[in-house]
Amino acid sequence: MPSKPRVLVLDGPNLNLLGERSPHIYGRQTLAEVRALLAEHARTRGVELEFFQSNHEGALIDRLHEARHRVQGVVINPGALTHYSYALRDAIEAVGLPAVEVHLSDLHAREEFRRISVIAPVCIAQVSGRGAQSYLEGLDRLISYMSAKEATGSSWKSGV
Ligand code: DQA
């Protein structure tokens, strides 16, 4: 693992409205506040982060492609793309980076359609239902995975 691994944190559609969007479901923290918490957490873990949010599927995919040689892992909250975006799923698989899927709300305690994630099969873990803590736990899961890979001398690639 590089001395300071770099992780891409991707947020999908509507997550720019955190804080005002359905606060009874997603809480009152803004995306900037969630990012600040995660950045502080990453600092204590010796990890560098880069953030990107978009309401457009293609922009998220472009960013994954563009960052693929610069970062060693991905934390992604795909928003509603979770439930139907095979293009985003394929992009995660194509770049071969380990990715953790995170959600603020508990997908399994909401509408039926949210229980399905087409992204989960290409991720090493899914963390949902813990608000901003889902991102922190997701980053920890990613770091553990990357450290274990390094310990066994295998490549960074997720191999999913
Ligand atoms: C979400 C859950 C999705 O079902 C929803 O479409 C979102 C947010 C979450 O973080 O809980 O936009 O990903």
Side-chain angles (χ1 to χ4, degrees):
M1 180 152 59
S3 59
K4 259 213 167 189
R6 197 172 171 85
V7 169
L8 174 63
V9 182
L10 282 179
D11 282 285
N14 301 306
L15 290 161
N16 55 310
L17 293 185
L18 279 184
E20 58 181 276
R21 172 191 183 200
S22 309
H24 58 293
I25 296 172
Y26 299 117
R28 296 220 170 261
Q29 278 170 319
T30 64
L31 184 59
E33 288 165 345
V34 173
R35 284 176 172 179
L37 273 178
L38 186 60
E40 175 53 23
H41 189 72
R43 197 186 59 74
T44 65
R45 302 283 193 273
V47 172
E48 275 178 19
L49 300 182
E50 58 182 81
F51 295 104
F52 184 71
Q53 186 277 331
S54 179
N55 295 321
H56 306 279
E57 183 182 43
L60 293 163
I61 293 169
D62 284 345
R63 184 59 180 250
L64 260 174
H65 290 182
E66 184 263 319
R68 71 186 188 281
H69 299 308
R70 186 173 64 236
V71 303
Q72 288 76 47
V74 179
V75 171
I76 181 166
N77 183 346
L81 294 173
T82 304
H83 315 299
Y84 65 89
S85 177
Y86 294 110
L88 186 57
R89 178 222 178 276
D90 280 358
I92 294 169
E93 187 174 42
V95 298
L97 292 166
V100 176
E101 178 189 336
V102 300
H103 300 279
L104 297 143
S105 65
D106 180 359
L107 297 185
H108 302 281
R110 298 185 62 194
E111 301 95 321
E112 194 73 34
F113 76 88
R114 294 189 203 273
R115 294 189 188 163
I116 291 167
S117 169
V118 301
I119 305 296
V122 293
C123 290
I124 59 166
Q126 183 195 65
V127 183
S128 100
R130 306 202 55 226
Q133 286 297 322
S134 293
Y135 287 76
L136 275 54
E137 193 180 319
L139 182 63
D140 284 343
R141 299 280 287 269
L142 184 63
I143 293 168
S144 301
Y145 178 89
M146 294 191 301
S147 306
K149 279 264 176 186
E150 186 185 47
T152 59
S154 41
S155 96
W156 279 98
K157 299 289 180 180
S158 65
V160 286

